Amino acid sequence: MWKQWINALLGLAVIAVPFLGLTGSAFTWTFVVMGVLIAGLSIWTMSEVPREAYERLTHERHSHA
């Protein structure tokens, strides 16, 4: 759940960046770093097994053993 909140905060930061008065290189690198963070967290979130599915799988394994 915390990763979704970080994604939301980074999204708001992307909205705010143009109003910070950054120019040229600083502006570009700010967006590059934020884009990498957002993409990385999104991919990490998508790659995780949902908690319910994990608990169901582990329960099935223990009951068959």
Side-chain angles (χ1 to χ4, degrees), residues 34-61:
M34 281 197 214
V36 168
L37 289 172
I38 292 169
L41 283 169
S42 297
I43 291 168
W44 184 16
T45 301
M46 289 185 299
S47 69
E48 287 188 341
V49 175
R51 184 172 186 82
E52 298 83 25
Y54 176 77
E55 290 173 354
R56 188 172 50 248
L57 286 172
T58 55
H59 177 70
E60 288 173 4
R61 287 183 188 154

Side-chain angles (χ1 to χ4, degrees), residues 21-32:
L22 300 174
T23 58
S25 180
F27 189 76
T28 300
W29 280 108
T30 301
F31 271 109
V32 168

